[in-house]
Every structure is written in C-alpha cells, then in structure tokens.
Amino acid sequence: MTTYIVTSAPPNPNGDLHLGHLAGPFLGADILTRHLRQRGHDVSYVGYSDEHSCYVPRRAAELGWTAHRAAFTFGNRMEETLSLGAMHHDFFTRPLTDARHTEIVQRYFTSLWEQGRLVTRELPVFHCTGCERNLYEAEVRGECQFCGDPSDGVYCEACGLPQETTGLANPRCTACWETPEVRTLERICLPLEEYRDRLLAYYAQAQEHAEWRPRLRAYLDALFARELPLTPVSRIADYGVPVPLAGWEGHILDTWFSGIFGYVAASARLAEGEGEPSRWERQWADPETRIVNFIGFDCSFSHAVLWPALLLAEGSATLPAQVVTNEFYRLEGEKFSTSRDHAIWGGDFLRQVSGDALRFHLALTGPEREQTNFAAKEFAATVQDVLVGGVETWTRTLAAMVVEDFEGTIPTAEPGPASAAGPLAAVLDGLPADVAGSLAAESLSPQVAARALAAAVATGVRDLGELRRLRIDPADRDRYAGRLAVHLEALAVVATTAAPLMPGWSAFLAPRLGIPVDPTHRMPSWPDRTDGPLIPAGTTLTSVPPAFFHEL
C-alpha cells in the first residue's frame, strides 16, 4: 500500500464550474483517487476554493456584492456542482472561514523567511491613477509579452508563461479601462534562478517514474532555456492572507505563493476531521508519499516550477511525483466564456442528466493532450449508443434471461479454455489490465479507459445474438447456461473496472451481481479472478434492474 495525496487546482469562486472545468482537473483527480482506492492504496483527495484570489473582488464589484459574499455564494455553488458530479474532495477548504488555511500558509512563509530563502526588491508595478490602486492579475488586462494573446497581469492562459510585473503590452485597468502608469513597489520575492539545478534534477527523477504530458515537458524545456524569473510573492492589498512580518502591514501573500500550502492546509483539516491531527505532517514529510497535482495547462508555472521550488527552499515537505495537465475543453467549437455566457454550467446540467453519463462522456472526450470539444449531439450519442443502447441493453437482457430461465439464480461460469468464452474472453482476461494501465498515476488517461470500457460493452451486446440463438434450442441448454454465465461474469468485470468513471452505476449494479461494495467509498474492489469468478455461486437476481440512464 502506498500513500497518495491527490489535489486539483483551486477554482476561483467567481462563478459556478462549467463543463470545461469539470472535464479537466476535477474529473481526472477524482478518477485517479477512486482507482487507487480500488487497488488498496491510502489516498487523500484535497483541495480548496481560491477565495483570496483578486478575481473574487473583481466579480463582486460587477455584482455590487462584497468579496466575502461572492466567495461564499459561488463557493457553495461549486461544491454543489462537484457533489452532483460525484467529484467532491475528501476535504475542500474554504479559506475565508477556515483559519487553519491562513495559519499554515503563514507558517511556511515564516519558515522560508527565517531561513533566508526570500529576498526583497523594488519592482515596477502598474498603477491606475483614476482608481487609485496598484493593478495586479485580474485588475489589469493586456497582451502577453511572449505570445501576444489577451492576458491578465500574471500568467498567460494561452502559453502559460509568467508576465514580468509590467510586461503586458497595451495594459488597461479592468475597472475603468484606462491606461495605467508605472510606479515601483517593494515586494518579497523568491529568487527562482537559484533553484535551477535542483529543479532540473527533480524533473529528471520524477520523469523516470511517471509520464509527464508532452506539452508540459516542452513548456519546461522552453522556460529553462532562459533565466528563470524573480518571482514576487507579496503585494499591497486589503484582501488576502497578511504578510506576518513587522513593517509589512498592508501587504498580503500572493495566492500563487499560497497555493501549495493551501493543499497542505486541506490535508491538515482532513487529518483533524478523521481524528489523526498529526498525520498530515508525517505524510507531507515522507519521501515515499506520492503527491499528484491535477491542473489546467495555464497553471503550469505555479504547479510545476514555483511550488516545487518553494518546497525545495523550505525543505520539510516532499515534492509532487506527478503533475497532470489538461488542455482547454471547448464548447461547440469555441472557448468556454463566462463573460460572453458561452458556457454550460455544471450545476444546471447535472440537475438534468445522469452524473455518471456526464462523467463517462467527459472521460471519453476530455482534453488530455490537445484541445477537444463538447457538443450536445455527441453527448446524446454517447448516452444513447454506449450507455442506454449498450450498458443497459446488455445488463437488462442478461438479467431477464436469469429471472425467466433460471428462476433468478445466476449460472456459474465453469473454468475452461478461453475459446469457450468466445469474443468475451478479451473482456474477461484483458479489460482489467487495459483499464489499470490507463488509470495508473504514472500514465493516467481516462480517455483510454473509457474507450476500453465502451469496446467491452459493445462486444457483449454483439454477442447477445449468439446467446439468444442458444436460448431457443432445448438441446443447447447447457451451452446456453455456460454462455450466459460468461456474459454475466464479463458484465461483472466491466462493472468493477468502470467504478472510477461511473461510480454510481457500479455501486448500483455490483451488489445485484453478488459483488460487495465498500461502505466507506461505495466501490467494489478491483477485479481479481485468480481464485475464481467474481460472481459468487448461488447469487440470485430477483428482478430485472430498473434503467439507470435515461435517453436524451
């Protein structure tokens, strides 16, 4: 058993989560967490709402709200959406109402400061004279100094590169849209270049054991081809975690600095809630703990560069073993956009459709290595062809045969040559290995797993014709019983291996096949047929299971 800490990038509570958000870090992190638990590992899935982000007061000003009201309202909506999609964390911190977050962020900052790992520098800053404020990240909009795409003031969504403090071209204040002037401000910074060699050694070691996705590797190669930027971690503002130093009143810690320690804080709160308040320190200090961070590509600098450097500098915590990025998920060919209301909001959509159906479709079409697209007609096709016409047709047909022909007692699949199972031999013998390989932390691909499961279901449905042929001939009664038993065993393999992608359906069907479901995490164990069939002898089906998915 290995200890894992799985995280998903902290969302800004400036709106609900749309399908583009769900298709990225949240679904991937949840699928991995479930799969690892099925394999017997100790997993903590943690995250937090980025309530100190400057996007929150910007959105609040647009609505005429306070920042705290916006963070509270949208944070609640995000949690509801994650729950509807069965993607909620084991602990999800709400920093504005949880003092532990601030305490731990300040604790690690103080450790870095006292060790002399941070420096102070006078840096240029955009300043809006009309609004009488310095402009930072969400407060300034312009063009990326590297790729020219529209960008806010810190990281470019398109290329992921950090902007110099006044590097944006054609900057505008997002409150009044006037051009700011440039002033200077003393800020606390991490001299990132000092960690070049240690970071490169870390990447080399991590990628010996895990497959980091190609675009992230290319990003790191390009970034390290030049000097790493001096990275500010503080600024002047009245909204955020205060810098805990005398003489720095009015300065806050940047949320990009706080991020990795927000994960630590969530781990601490989870451990406290489970009655082991010191567990988090052991986990984060243990080099054998495997930390897996899920992010959108635009967060590559923070998760793959800045945060590992902060951990190296502070020295008491282990570094991530894997950083899993995703690309943009588009909607009907265009980028999801809150401002243009070009979005499908997760909470609204999940109140109309099966959460498992959406999870499976997002896994099947997710933007793992390239931008992909959500289209309503394609989602409907997945539901109709794979889930209703595939999973439910196969399941309900087999159940009806058991009830009508065997008085509800599932026939026992006798061991024999693979040829006796016909095309289902590939499902029985190959599917667990195929899904396990695609859901391993080292090379995660829910897309590959979803395709393998869809292919297995299609194989079962196609073989129903042969099963029906055997059924109508009394002379083939024994062969019919054997073939039906093989079908049901293959269905059991699909139901157990599909649990990370479709946890509701798996927990619904597995007990009906006599397969126990863990009461804590509501999942069957990973299928192991070395000691015999998954379905216990004598298992009964008293009725045909009701439909789980519905047609759209």
Side-chain angles (χ1 to χ4, degrees):
M1 183 181 70
T2 301
T3 297
Y4 284 86
I5 296 173
V6 178
T7 75
S8 54
N12 279 309
N14 59 346
D16 193 6
L17 299 172
H18 55 59
L19 298 192
H21 294 130
L22 298 182
F26 300 109
L27 180 60
D30 182 81
I31 286 174
L32 177 63
T33 296
R34 293 178 185 276
H35 176 70
L36 292 173
R37 284 180 175 149
Q38 274 194 298
R39 307 306 296 270
H41 298 295
D42 178 21
V43 190
S44 298
Y45 175 31
V46 297
Y48 66 96
S49 173
D50 197 10
E51 294 180 347
H52 289 123
S53 163
C54 58
Y55 286 91
V56 178
R58 186 179 88 174
R59 179 63 171 150
E62 294 169 355
L63 296 170
W65 293 357
T66 65
H68 282 68
R69 180 184 176 187
F72 177 79
T73 301
F74 293 125
N76 287 349
R77 289 185 190 175
M78 293 191 305
E79 289 205 71
E80 289 172 2
T81 296
L82 291 173
S83 295
L84 287 167
M87 302 178 200
H88 207 296
H89 310 69
D90 298 327
F91 196 92
F92 185 73
T93 309
R94 302 290 293 275
L96 288 176
T97 53
D98 192 332
R100 195 78 163 111
H101 177 91
T102 293
E103 174 194 334
I104 286 183
V105 168
Q106 290 180 330
R107 166 179 163 172
Y108 279 93
F109 169 83
T110 300
S111 175
L112 286 159
W113 181 263
E114 291 178 348
Q115 293 182 68
R117 307 304 188 197
L118 303 172
V119 299
T120 62
R121 295 286 186 272
E122 285 282 341
L123 297 175
V125 61
F126 288 126
H127 182 86
C128 180
T129 55
C131 296
E132 297 183 341
R133 63 172 186 167
N134 294 332
L135 303 181
Y136 175 84
E137 195 170 12
E139 299 157 351
V140 59
R141 187 74 171 167
E143 297 165 5
C144 172
Q145 67 186 96
F146 300 104
C147 71
D149 270 28
S151 176
D152 289 343
V154 177
Y155 299 120
C156 174
E157 279 193 348
C159 69
L161 291 173
Q163 308 298 298
E164 296 174 10
T165 54
T166 52
L168 284 181
N170 300 316
R172 294 288 188 275
C173 169
T174 56
C176 66
W177 296 105
E178 293 297 323
T179 300
E181 64 183 29
V182 173
R183 295 186 179 180
T184 61
L185 173 67
E186 185 177 24
R187 301 176 71 177
I188 300 170
C189 307
L190 178 72
L192 197 56
E193 178 64 22
E194 292 181 10
Y195 297 91
R196 167 184 291 273
D197 292 342
R198 294 175 68 186
L199 284 169
L200 290 173
Y202 156 63
Y203 299 142
Q205 182 180 31
Q207 292 177 63
E208 285 180 1
H209 305 286
E211 179 191 357
W212 289 28
R213 288 180 174 166
R215 192 177 178 202
L216 177 58
R217 297 199 306 269
Y219 171 87
L220 293 172
D221 289 343
L223 189 69
F224 278 78
R226 55 179 178 268
E227 183 175 352
L228 298 177
L230 180 72
T231 305
V233 302
S234 74
R235 61 189 177 92
I236 290 179
D238 58 5
Y239 183 79
V241 175
V243 172
L245 298 174
W248 287 83
E249 293 79 8
H251 291 251
I252 65 165
L253 294 171
D254 181 63
T255 55
W256 292 106
F257 163 84
S258 304
I260 184 62
F261 308 121
Y263 294 153
V264 177
S267 298
R269 295 289 283 115
L270 176 63
E272 291 166 7
E274 294 180 341
E276 299 180 72
S278 63
R279 184 185 66 199
W280 68 275
E281 293 185 274
R282 297 194 304 273
Q283 288 179 328
W284 279 89
D286 187 351
E288 297 302 314
T289 297
R290 295 187 63 78
I291 299 167
V292 184
N293 295 334
F294 283 80
I295 61 170
F297 173 78
D298 54 317
C299 295
S300 294
F301 182 80
S302 59
H303 284 70
V305 185
L306 175 59
W307 294 359
L310 288 168
L311 294 176
L312 287 168
E314 198 278 330
S316 67
T318 193
L319 274 66
Q322 171 70 299
V323 178
V324 183
T325 59
N326 63 267
E327 304 297 327
F328 282 121
Y329 195 49
R330 304 181 80 82
L331 173 59
E332 304 289 357
E334 297 183 24
K335 183 180 174 183
F336 277 84
S337 172
T338 303
S339 62
R340 291 187 293 108
D341 199 27
H342 184 69
I344 297 177
W345 301 108
D348 295 339
F349 199 63
L350 283 164
R351 287 180 173 86
Q352 303 173 49
V353 305
S354 158
D356 276 22
L358 181 60
R359 287 173 63 101
F360 187 82
H361 182 74
L362 295 183
L364 193 64
T365 62
E368 295 177 4
R369 294 169 181 257
E370 60 186 7
Q371 293 188 16
T372 55
N373 184 62
F374 179 88
K377 65 179 181 181
E378 292 174 0
F379 173 66
T382 295
V383 174
Q384 177 57 39
D385 299 344
V386 180
L387 302 179
V388 175
V391 170
E392 289 196 348
T393 294
W394 191 26
T395 302
R396 289 165 61 80
T397 299
L398 298 180
M401 290 176 173
V402 172
V403 171
E404 294 169 12
D405 301 337
F406 296 91
E407 298 181 341
T409 301
I410 294 178
T412 301
E414 299 294 337
S419 58
L424 292 171
V427 177
L428 293 169
D429 301 328
L431 184 65
D434 291 343
V435 174
S438 60
L439 296 187
E442 296 77 16
S443 55
L444 183 80
S445 177
Q447 193 173 90
V448 171
R451 289 172 180 169
L453 288 163
V457 170
T459 297
V461 172
R462 283 195 301 270
D463 199 57
L464 286 176
E466 175 63 12
L467 192 61
R468 293 187 180 102
R469 186 190 68 77
L470 295 172
R471 185 189 191 195
I472 63 176
D473 189 344
D476 283 327
R477 176 73 177 186
D478 289 343
R479 291 180 61 200
Y480 166 54
R483 192 61 162 247
L484 177 58
V486 168
H487 264 270
L488 287 159
E489 185 70 8
L491 180 61
V493 170
V494 171
T496 49
T497 55
L501 279 71
M502 296 191 291
W505 175 74
S506 180
F508 165 82
L509 183 61
R512 289 174 164 79
L513 300 177
I515 300 169
V517 171
D518 177 85
T520 301
H521 301 297
R522 299 188 68 247
M523 287 193 304
S525 297
W526 191 251
D528 180 2
R529 301 179 65 251
T530 56
D531 295 328
L534 297 179
I535 301 176
T539 298
T540 59
L541 276 172
T542 57
S543 63
V544 177
F548 187 86
F549 305 101
H550 62 268
E551 299 183 50
L552 299 181

